[in-house]
């Protein structure tokens, strides 16, 4: 089986001095290698091809037969690394917390392993007869949520 660290080192070497970042590497039991990269402005297919060729030139098919797939992280997919959170500050996201509650709102800030989402919620103010729509900040730990993903809008 192909060593994940070998693939990671090759990807890191290719990423050096580029604005891309590694999102994930998966290697299945039958040596299917899937590499996901991302960029603040999106991923170009030409760069995926270039990375794929870079990896193939450095892995020997004589030693191990493998299948290689290089692509982008996918716009509607859950975030996997902190840099993805950073790239979507100011954008609408959906968060599923550890208790199974969904929050939809604006990704306001990212600090360390925590991020803040501003959600419009109905809040009953003291002395008011009815609840009023109010922006409420919710802070989550990246490792404490089931997922966070970008909300694609066609407006």
């Amino acid at each position: 089986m192909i060593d994940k660290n070998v693939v990671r080192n090759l990807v890191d070497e290719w990423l050096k001095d580029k604005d891309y970042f590694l999102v994930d590497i998966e290697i299945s039991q039958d040596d299917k290698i899937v590499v996901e990269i991302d960029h603040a402005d999106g991923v170009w297919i030409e760069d995926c091809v270039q990375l794929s060729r870079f990896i193939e030139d450095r892995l020997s098919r004589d030693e191990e037969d493998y299948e290689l797939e290089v692509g982008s992280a996918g716009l509607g997919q859950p975030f996997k690394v902190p840099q993805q959170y950073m790239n979507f500050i100011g954008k609408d996201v959906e968060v599923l917390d550890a208790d199974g509650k969904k929050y939809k709102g604006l990704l306001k800030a990212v600090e360390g392993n925590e991020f803040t989402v501003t959600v419009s919620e109905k809040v009953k103010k003291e002395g008011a007869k009815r609840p009023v729509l109010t922006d409420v900040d919710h802070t989550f730990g990246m490792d404490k949520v089931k997922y966070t993903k970008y909300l694609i809008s066609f407006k």
Side-chain angles (χ1 to χ4, degrees):
M1 186 168 169
I2 294 175
D3 185 357
K4 190 173 185 175
N5 289 323
V6 170
V7 177
R8 180 180 303 278
N9 289 337
L10 290 173
V11 173
D12 287 343
E13 184 180 339
W14 184 85
L15 291 172
K16 189 175 180 187
D17 300 324
K18 292 180 177 66
D19 289 332
Y20 282 97
F21 59 93
L22 177 63
V23 173
D24 196 19
I25 296 174
E26 291 182 16
I27 302 177
S28 67
Q29 291 294 97
D30 58 347
D31 282 336
K32 179 178 180 182
I33 305 167
V34 178
V35 177
E36 291 181 352
I37 57 173
D38 207 347
H39 187 284
D41 297 326
V43 176
W44 293 92
I45 188 71
E46 294 84 4
D47 292 324
C48 292
V49 170
Q50 188 182 53
L51 175 56
S52 180
R53 287 185 180 144
F54 184 86
I55 294 169
E56 285 178 350
D57 288 346
R58 286 154 180 81
L59 289 180
S60 172
R61 288 197 184 269
D62 294 333
E63 291 177 23
E64 290 200 58
D65 189 30
Y66 62 88
E67 179 183 346
L68 177 61
E69 182 181 310
V70 176
S72 68
L75 203 51
Q77 298 299 311
F79 298 165
K80 295 180 181 177
V81 295
Q83 185 62 45
Q84 289 176 296
Y85 287 85
M86 297 296 293
N87 288 349
F88 286 94
I89 291 175
K91 306 276 198 250
D92 287 328
V93 295
E94 178 180 278
V95 178
L96 182 63
D97 73 6
D99 297 327
K101 184 175 179 186
K102 278 187 186 177
Y103 297 85
K104 292 181 182 182
L106 186 79
L107 181 56
K108 182 178 179 179
V110 178
E111 192 168 315
N113 197 37
E114 292 188 336
F115 63 99
T116 302
V117 176
T118 302
V119 179
S120 290
E121 297 177 353
K122 287 185 178 181
V123 177
K124 188 170 181 184
K125 305 265 181 173
E126 193 174 320
K129 291 183 179 183
R130 296 183 185 196
V132 178
L133 209 54
T134 307
D135 286 343
V136 178
D137 287 347
H138 294 275
T139 301
F140 304 94
M142 291 177 195
D143 56 343
K144 304 282 190 237
V145 297
K146 291 184 180 177
Y147 70 74
T148 302
K149 59 185 177 181
Y150 173 62
L151 273 178
I152 300 170
S153 175
F154 297 102
K155 293 179 184 177

